[in-house]
Amino acid sequence: MDVLLTVLSTFLATVRDVAPIGILLLFFQLIILRERVPYLKRVIVGFVYVVCGLALFLIGLDQALFPIGEIMAQQLTATEFIQGGNAGGMLDTVKVHWWQYYWVYIFAAAIGFSTTIAEPSLIAVAIKANEASGGALSPWGLRIAVAIGVAVSIALGAFRIVTGTSLAYYMMVGYLLVIIQTMLAPKMIVPLAYDSGGVTTSTVTVPLVTALGLGLASTVPGRSALIDGFGLIALASLFPMITVMAYAQISQWRGNQIVESIS
Amino acid sequence: MKQFLLTIKDALRDLAPIILVVAFFQLAVLQQPFPEPGKILVGLFAVVLGLSLFIQGLQLSLFPLGENMAGALVRKGNVFWLLFFAFALGFGTTIAEPALIAVSNEAAKISASAGVIDNSNDAMNGYSLGLRLTVALSVGVSLLVGVFRIIKGWPIHFIIIGGYLLIVILTQFAPAEIIGIAYDSGGVTTSTITVPLVTALGIGLSTCIKGRNPMIDGFGLIAFASLFPIVFVLIYGMVV
């Protein structure tokens, strides 16, 4: 019964998400453009697929991955795990060094990478980028470049929470890199790289990454979940820009034909 | 049918890394068995099926519709309706976004406890609604500006870099409680359904308008939609 209720409410929420877009498209098509929708039947089937698919996807994540991912984030950041079981009553006397959180950094990078690969909106953008570039830009190249960016940023973000350094420094250095790379990278990759920053932080990545951030901020002594818990998402939308531009630069250096074949 | 099996195969490949990471950490690092393995398997099956359906549905509906709409609006030759469409798309999809509603309510609570606004239900509801309207307005404006940029063929980097500089400056003056919310609101606005449609719109426009290149001019709408909300919310925090 409980499961049925979740299924129903997720389904309704997805319909509510899609409804404004459907209404807007219909309004423009019928009233402003006064045109019939081309391939109406196919489009309706497609919309049903989108709604059912997204609802199923969210329900599945909710049942299978999110609970275990969140528990994992808590366990990996727990002080007992970090100190390898010698905690007990010595919590106050044993100082935890930042490098003792190494499993947390590895987990952060791995979960950032793998959730990005599964992110539906990034898949959509990768498909479009492949089409727009006439097949020269492979969807996998782009997705792996973005995923590496997210992996680096989540690991760095975890390191930042552990050490308690200011988010502003990381953001400034990141922005500076973005500006320098914008000048050096092939022109055709720049807009796509900017887009990939906003695309990554979506359905799959945000819940797991937030759980990790909050888990860390609440177990590391001296951190507040409210102030230090955020910032992972901000970094995760910054670094993919850098890695996507770097991907294009590396392709160019290696004499790959990507750039020439487009322009 | 064959097509569908292919998408299922793709979906399995897309999800394999997550499954491997979770399994490795659960079994090798934390050394614990999976709780309720049956439920997890059913859930994973739903995730794979859902992702395949979604991607298939995109190719059938949102992608062609977005590009068609862009083409039809360009042929109509009316810039006003094109810009109106862009604004309505941004505003309409953002105002009802559940993640945004959750974030705004959270923000109202934080501000009330920090003493920025009165600790009454009325004040909190007003603040939260104001924040939602601000973000929705900013996404509408960003798509409008983004579409205008595609029509004009302006280079994107000046606007984006200028926007980031503005954020850096505004951050110095905005109240501390709003900064985290502002940075987060940029990521909240781009939902899984909006992104494909907006991308298709940009590509469609740059293909239809003469002298525009889909790679150079077609992308960038999402970047605007994740940048402008930060600026608008920082200003909202300073004004309220």
Side-chain angles (χ1 to χ4, degrees):
Chain A
M1 196 58 224
D2 236 23
V3 177
L4 212 66
L5 212 67
T6 345
V7 170
L8 204 68
S9 68
T10 315
F11 196 76
L12 282 178
T14 318
V15 171
R16 203 184 45 198
D17 263 14
V18 180
I21 295 183
I23 293 168
L24 182 74
L25 288 174
L26 217 62
F27 171 79
F28 261 81
Q29 199 77 44
L30 298 180
I31 307 215
I32 310 296
L33 294 170
R34 303 215 180 110
E35 275 175 28
R36 298 178 51 145
V37 182
Y39 306 109
L40 183 63
K41 230 169 150 183
R42 226 180 59 180
V43 169
I44 292 175
V45 172
F47 258 100
V48 173
Y49 277 15
V50 165
V51 172
C52 292
L54 195 56
L56 265 178
F57 184 70
L58 293 176
I59 293 164
L61 286 180
D62 231 31
Q63 296 292 313
L65 281 175
F66 287 165
I68 198 161
E70 278 160 23
I71 295 173
M72 218 172 255
Q74 282 164 19
Q75 286 174 337
L76 284 171
T77 51
T79 329
E80 297 85 54
F81 178 78
I82 303 291
Q83 301 191 327
N86 74 349
M90 298 158 66
L91 269 178
D92 298 329
T93 48
V94 181
K95 190 170 167 357
V96 187
H97 297 284
W98 65 265
W99 47 263
Q100 283 178 289
Y101 285 87
Y102 60 93
W103 274 121
V104 174
Y105 308 135
I106 297 173
F107 179 72
I111 209 79
F113 184 89
S114 56
T115 52
T116 308
I117 291 291
E119 199 66 79
S121 29
L122 179 62
I123 300 177
V125 169
I127 292 173
K128 277 284 140 195
N130 180 38
E131 278 175 32
S133 65
L137 193 68
S138 91
W140 274 101
L142 178 69
R143 284 167 66 191
I144 288 175
V146 174
I148 291 174
V150 176
V152 170
S153 58
I154 306 294
L156 252 183
F159 171 77
R160 183 195 75 83
I161 295 177
V162 169
T163 52
T165 33
S166 162
L167 177 68
Y169 296 129
Y170 294 80
M171 298 299 278
M172 304 265 186
V173 171
Y175 284 148
L176 206 67
L177 269 174
V178 168
I179 293 174
I180 294 170
Q181 276 187 302
T182 301
M183 295 189 280
L184 299 176
K187 262 207 173 61
M188 63 96 198
I189 199 75
V190 170
L192 179 63
Y194 287 166
D195 264 6
S196 56
V199 168
T200 44
T201 47
S202 204
T203 337
V204 198
T205 318
V206 172
L208 283 178
V209 165
T210 313
L212 181 69
L214 289 179
L216 257 183
S218 55
T219 46
V220 177
R223 302 287 171 274
S224 121
L226 234 155
I227 297 169
D228 300 297
F230 83 93
L232 284 178
I233 301 295
L235 284 173
S237 25
L238 178 65
F239 278 77
M241 299 192 212
I242 298 170
T243 49
V244 170
M245 285 194 269
Y247 165 64
Q249 285 173 301
I250 291 168
S251 305
Q252 199 180 32
W253 281 334
R254 286 175 54 195
N256 200 317
Q257 297 301 306
I258 293 182
V259 188
E260 286 81 3
S261 62
I262 293 168
S263 49
Chain B
M1 194 59 210
K2 200 176 158 216
Q3 176 77 35
F4 191 72
L5 283 180
L6 267 178
T7 14
I8 292 245
K9 207 184 97 206
D10 282 350
L12 270 176
R13 198 185 45 193
D14 295 338
L15 290 160
I18 287 201
I19 297 168
L20 284 178
V21 167
V22 169
F24 172 74
F25 273 87
Q26 187 75 0
L27 301 174
V29 181
L30 293 166
Q31 292 176 353
Q32 273 159 11
F34 276 98
E36 303 181 83
K39 196 175 140 189
I40 291 178
L41 274 180
V42 174
L44 281 179
F45 179 72
V47 170
V48 171
L49 193 66
L51 189 61
S52 340
L53 270 176
F54 177 77
I55 299 291
Q56 187 100 36
L58 278 187
Q59 314 257 30
L60 289 175
S61 62
L62 284 176
F63 277 167
L65 253 154
E67 282 176 27
N68 259 321
M69 190 70 82
L73 284 166
V74 168
R75 275 196 304 279
K76 202 175 158 64
N78 190 326
V79 176
F80 171 78
W81 281 120
L82 187 56
L83 293 180
F84 182 81
F85 178 74
F87 180 83
L89 181 66
F91 188 86
T93 52
T94 311
I95 192 79
E97 174 79 39
L100 176 62
I101 298 175
V103 168
S104 328
N105 289 341
E106 198 58 36
K109 263 187 238 153
I110 295 171
S111 303
S113 62
V116 181
I117 52 170
D118 285 344
N119 202 350
S120 71
N121 265 337
D122 269 1
M124 283 198 319
N125 284 339
Y127 185 87
S128 147
L129 185 68
L131 193 63
R132 264 171 70 193
L133 281 173
T134 309
V135 174
L137 202 72
S138 65
V139 177
V141 170
S142 54
L143 290 192
L144 192 152
V145 173
V147 165
F148 197 67
R149 175 193 82 86
I150 296 177
I151 299 175
K152 290 283 175 197
W154 290 335
I156 188 173
H157 47 272
F158 292 119
I159 309 177
I160 296 286
I161 291 173
Y164 279 129
L165 286 179
L166 190 63
I167 291 175
V168 170
I169 296 168
L170 282 175
T171 305
Q172 314 296 320
F173 298 102
E177 313 80 42
I178 201 83
I179 292 173
I181 299 153
Y183 283 32
D184 267 1
S185 66
V188 164
T189 50
T190 44
S191 81
T192 312
I193 299 165
T194 322
V195 166
L197 187 61
V198 166
T199 310
L201 178 74
I203 302 282
L205 277 177
S206 54
T207 323
C208 291
I209 300 172
K210 248 190 163 160
R212 299 286 168 274
N213 177 327
M215 278 310 280
I216 291 178
D217 304 295
F219 289 99
L221 287 174
I222 309 282
F224 282 14
S226 27
L227 177 77
F228 280 39
I230 306 181
V231 176
F232 274 52
V233 172
L234 284 176
I235 295 174
Y236 179 77
M238 288 155 74
V239 173
V240 176

